[in-house]
C-alpha cells in the first residue's frame, strides 16, 4: 500500500493539562495518512508513505518517526525552501482543539507529479484523505488526478477518508468538493457526524450511502457506537469496543488502517470492521496518534469471538 499526505510535528501537553496551563509540551508527529501507514505496518502490511518535509529538524524528526514504525519513507521529498508544518494540541473538557501552523509548508507544495513515484506502480491500494485537497490548489489537483481514472481502468484501488477539517476550507466549499472526490474512490471512510455537518443534519448511514453510491465499499463510523460497511451486496454493522479514552485524535486513521488491512487479508466485512475497531481502540488509549496494538494472539482471539461475546468485549 501507499499512503500520501502531509505529516507535521506536533506539540501537546500531558493530560489533564491544557495548553495555556502546561509547563512543558511533548513533541511527536501527526498526520492522517502517515498514521494509517504506521498502523498498517504494525499489522504486517508492506506500506510506503509519500509526502514532503522541510530541510529542518522537525522534518528529520517526522521522517525518522514514521520510518521507525516500519514504513518505507524513501519516497518522501525534502524541500529546501519550505518548512515542515506544525500543530499544537489543546486538550480540554469539551475535547481536544487543534491549532495548525502549516500554511506554506513543504507538503502544501505537493502536486500531481508525486503520482509518478515508482512505488505506486506495484501498489495494491493508494490511501488519500480530504485533508490534502484543502492544503493548496496543487494538492487538490493531485487528489483529483489520483481519482481521475475510472475505477475499472485503475492499476490500484484508491481509498479516501473524508477527514473534514473545517478550518482548512473556505466557507461553503468543502461539501461539494469532498462529496465529488469521495464518490470517485473505491473505498471511502466517513464519520456520521462529519457527514451530517457536510451534507445534512438528519442524515442516517443509509442516507450517506445514497449520496455516495460510487464507492465499492463505504464505511460510515458512528463515533464510539458502531461502524457500518455498505457494498453492492450487503450492509454489515459492527459495534465498537468498550475502551478507556485518553484522547480521540487519531482513532479514525487507526480504524481505516485496521479495516484496510482486513480487506487486504481477504477477510469478510465483519472481521475487517472488528480489526478497525481494535486498531482504533489502540489509538484512543494514548495521548499521541499511534498506540501499541494488542499481541497477535489476542487480536486473533477477538476476531474469532461470537457476535454476543464481541458486544461484551473490552479492549485489553
Amino acid at each position: 500500500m501507499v499512503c500520501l499526505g502531509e505529516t507535521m510535528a506536533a506539540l501537546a501537553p500531558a493530560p489533564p493539562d491544557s495548553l495555556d496551563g502546561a509547563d512543558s509540551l511533548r513533541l511527536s508527529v501527526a498526520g492522517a495518512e502517515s498514521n494509517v501507514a504506521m498502523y498498517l505496518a504494525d499489522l504486517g502490511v508492506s506500506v510506503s508513505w509519500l509526502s514532503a518535509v522541510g530541510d529542518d529538524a522537525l522534518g528529520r524528526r517526522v521522517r525518522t518517526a514514521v520510518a521507525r514504525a516500519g514504513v518505507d519513507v524513501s519516497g518522501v521529498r525534502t524541500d529546501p525552501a519550505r518548512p515542515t508544518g506544525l500543530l499544537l494540541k489543546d486538550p480540554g473538557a469539551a475535547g481536544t482543539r487543534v491549532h495548525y501552523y502549516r500554511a506554506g509548508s513543504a507538503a502544501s507544495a505537493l502536486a500531481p507529479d508525486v503520482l509518478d513515484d515508482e512505488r505506486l506502480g506495484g501498489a495494491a491500494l493508494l490511501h488519500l484523505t480530504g485533508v490534502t485537497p484543502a492544503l493548496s490548489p496543487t494538492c487538490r489537483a493531485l487528489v483529483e488526478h489520483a481519482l481521475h481514472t475510472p475505477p475499472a481502468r485503475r492499476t490500484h484501488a484508491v481509498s479516501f477518508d473524508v477527514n473534514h477539517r473545517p478550518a482548512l476550507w473556505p466557507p461553503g466549499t468543502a461539501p461539494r468538493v469532498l462529496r465529488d472526490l469521495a464518490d470517485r474512490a473505491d473505498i471511502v471512510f466517513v464519520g456520521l457526524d462529519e457527514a451530517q455537518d457536510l451534507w445534512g443534519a438528519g442524515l442516517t448511514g443509509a442516507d450517506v450511502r445514497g449520496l455516495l453510491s460510487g464507492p465499492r465499499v463505504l464505511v460510515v463510523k458512528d463515533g464510539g457506537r458502531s461502524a457500518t460497511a455498505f457494498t453492492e451486496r450487503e450492509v454489515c454493522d459492527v459495534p465498537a469496543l468498550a475502551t478507556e479514552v485518553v484522547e480521540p485524535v487519531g482513532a479514525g486513521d487507526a480504524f481505516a488502517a485496521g479495516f484496510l488491512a482486513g480487506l487486504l487479508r481477504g477477510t469478510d466485512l465483519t472481521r475487517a470492521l472488528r480489526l478497525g475497531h481494535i486498531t482504533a481502540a489502540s489509538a484512543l488509549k494514548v495521548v499521541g496518534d499511534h498506540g501499541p496494538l494488542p499481541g497477535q494472539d489476542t487480536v486473533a482471539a477477538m476476531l474469532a469471538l461470537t457476535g454476543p461475546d464481541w458486544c461484551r468485549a473490552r479492549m485489553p
Side-chain angles (χ1 to χ4, degrees):
M1 281 188 58
V2 173
C3 299
L4 194 165
E6 181 173 33
T7 292
M8 296 167 287
L11 291 170
D17 290 342
S18 62
L19 193 57
D20 57 355
D23 292 326
S24 62
L25 300 175
R26 174 179 174 268
L27 178 62
S28 61
V29 303
E33 299 83 3
S34 62
N35 286 342
V36 173
M38 288 189 285
Y39 274 114
L40 284 168
D42 290 343
L43 291 162
V45 176
S46 177
V47 57
S48 299
W49 170 55
L50 300 181
S51 188
V53 295
D55 187 11
D56 49 39
L58 294 181
R60 292 188 288 275
R61 179 83 171 232
V62 165
R63 189 194 301 266
T64 299
V66 178
R68 190 183 300 124
V71 178
D72 173 16
V73 300
S74 58
V76 176
R77 303 174 178 183
T78 298
D79 189 327
R82 299 177 179 86
T84 305
L86 175 69
L87 68 82
L88 299 179
K89 292 183 179 181
D90 187 10
T96 299
R97 296 181 62 192
V98 180
H99 307 278
Y100 297 103
Y101 300 87
R102 71 200 313 176
S105 70
S108 71
L110 289 171
D113 68 300
V114 74
L115 298 172
D116 297 331
D117 190 281
E118 62 183 10
R119 292 154 193 81
L120 278 169
L125 188 143
L126 169 65
H127 180 70
L128 303 165
T129 79
V131 175
T132 302
L135 297 181
S136 69
T138 60
C139 282
R140 179 168 165 183
L142 187 168
V143 176
E144 289 176 341
H145 190 76
L147 290 164
H148 176 73
T149 303
R153 290 170 42 204
R154 289 174 186 157
T155 58
H156 53 259
V158 180
S159 67
F160 184 82
D161 191 333
V162 171
N163 226 331
H164 179 219
R165 297 291 183 265
L168 298 179
W169 291 90
T173 60
R176 179 186 60 80
V177 174
L178 289 174
R179 180 181 175 187
D180 174 66
L181 294 173
D183 207 34
R184 289 190 272 159
D186 298 283
I187 303 165
V188 170
F189 302 92
V190 64
L192 182 59
D193 55 347
E194 68 180 342
Q196 292 168 343
D197 289 342
L198 284 166
W199 304 310
L203 291 177
T204 65
D207 295 331
V208 178
R209 180 54 165 170
L211 290 171
L212 301 175
S213 59
R216 286 182 287 162
V217 183
L218 170 67
V219 179
V220 180
K221 301 167 291 179
D222 189 7
R225 289 171 286 277
S226 67
T228 306
F230 297 84
T231 71
E232 292 181 353
R233 296 181 300 276
E234 63 179 309
V235 177
C236 180
D237 181 81
V238 172
L241 285 167
T243 190
E244 174 191 9
V245 178
V246 174
E247 186 186 72
V249 178
D253 305 325
F255 180 94
F259 182 82
L260 292 171
L263 290 188
L264 287 171
R265 293 174 181 174
T267 189
D268 58 63
L269 284 178
T270 296
R271 289 194 173 205
L273 288 168
R274 286 186 179 186
L275 189 55
H277 285 310
I278 292 168
T279 314
S282 299
L284 291 169
K285 292 166 70 69
V286 297
V287 174
D289 292 357
H290 183 223
L293 292 173
Q296 292 184 8
D297 291 345
T298 300
V299 171
M302 295 180 74
L303 293 177
L305 291 173
T306 65
D309 286 342
W310 171 266
C311 292
R312 292 189 291 267
R314 285 189 63 86
M315 183 69 175

